[in-house]
Amino acid sequence: MPRNPATTTDLFGAPAVGAAGGAAALPAHQPLAERLRPHTLGEVVGQQQVLGEGMPLRLAFESGRPHSCILWGPPGVGKTTIARLMADAFDAQFIFISAVLGGVEDIREAVEKAQMAWDSLLQQRTIVFVDEVHRFNKAVKLYINQRLKRAIVQIFGLPFFQRW
């Protein structure tokens, strides 16, 4: 999405001074983390082990062929950002599901939306982003695996295990 310097704002919603090619204006009600989130792959700092030259996710971006994967790590390392960037790069709809609050019904609904998007004239891909995927029970994980075999959606899982 092209950025409009005339509508660029600073982090607090005020017009940015001398904005030329800066971030697109975001609604003032968006959290700071959302305002700071990278909008292009080039803006991502770190993660060279998956985004560096010749690495799997970099190759997916460059080839235009997303794939299902599990992104692991502590909060704030860019898992959600990478998934959103992939959805943008592949012109895919992005569906977020929290495994803590969701279940098989949420996955079913996401798969139905993905099927409708694929069956439309545009044949749009879908990336389903499942936060805390390890919290799903075995039945939900089995259902997800069945959907992956049909290759309707790419699913990103985000397990994170805190060591105390």
Side-chain angles (χ1 to χ4, degrees):
M1 172 168 72
R3 295 177 179 191
N4 182 351
T7 60
T8 301
T9 62
D10 70 9
L11 294 175
F12 306 102
V17 177
L26 295 172
H29 65 276
Q30 283 196 319
L32 181 60
E34 195 63 35
R35 291 168 172 246
L36 293 174
R37 188 181 305 277
H39 297 284
T40 67
L41 194 59
E43 293 175 0
V44 175
V45 176
Q47 303 304 330
Q48 291 305 305
Q49 68 277 19
V50 292
L51 294 175
E53 292 299 319
M55 294 294 128
L57 284 180
R58 170 68 70 168
L59 294 175
F61 272 95
E62 291 171 354
S63 70
R65 300 178 68 194
H67 53 79
S68 298
C69 65
I70 294 176
L71 302 172
W72 181 88
V77 298
K79 301 177 299 287
T80 303
T81 296
I82 290 170
R84 286 181 190 243
L85 289 174
M86 288 202 81
D88 290 344
F90 303 124
D91 193 30
Q93 71 174 323
F94 183 82
I95 299 173
F96 178 88
I97 297 172
S98 170
V100 174
L101 303 173
V104 74
E105 190 57 39
D106 297 297
I107 296 293
R108 271 194 196 112
E109 186 178 310
V111 169
E112 287 172 12
K113 287 180 183 177
Q115 186 68 57
M116 288 189 311
W118 185 252
D119 290 343
S120 72
L121 292 175
L122 298 175
Q123 286 194 328
Q124 186 180 31
R125 293 176 173 153
T126 299
I127 291 182
V128 177
F129 183 78
V130 183
D131 194 12
E132 303 277 337
V133 68
H134 64 282
R135 296 186 186 269
F136 275 146
N137 65 32
K138 192 172 185 173
V140 176
K141 291 175 186 174
L142 202 65
Y143 184 80
I144 290 171
N145 285 335
Q146 290 171 349
R147 299 291 75 100
L148 286 177
K149 288 178 186 169
R150 293 184 55 209
I152 295 170
V153 297
Q154 274 70 45
I155 295 182
F156 282 76
L158 297 178
F160 178 67
F161 304 98
Q162 182 75 31
R163 291 188 188 137
W164 298 103

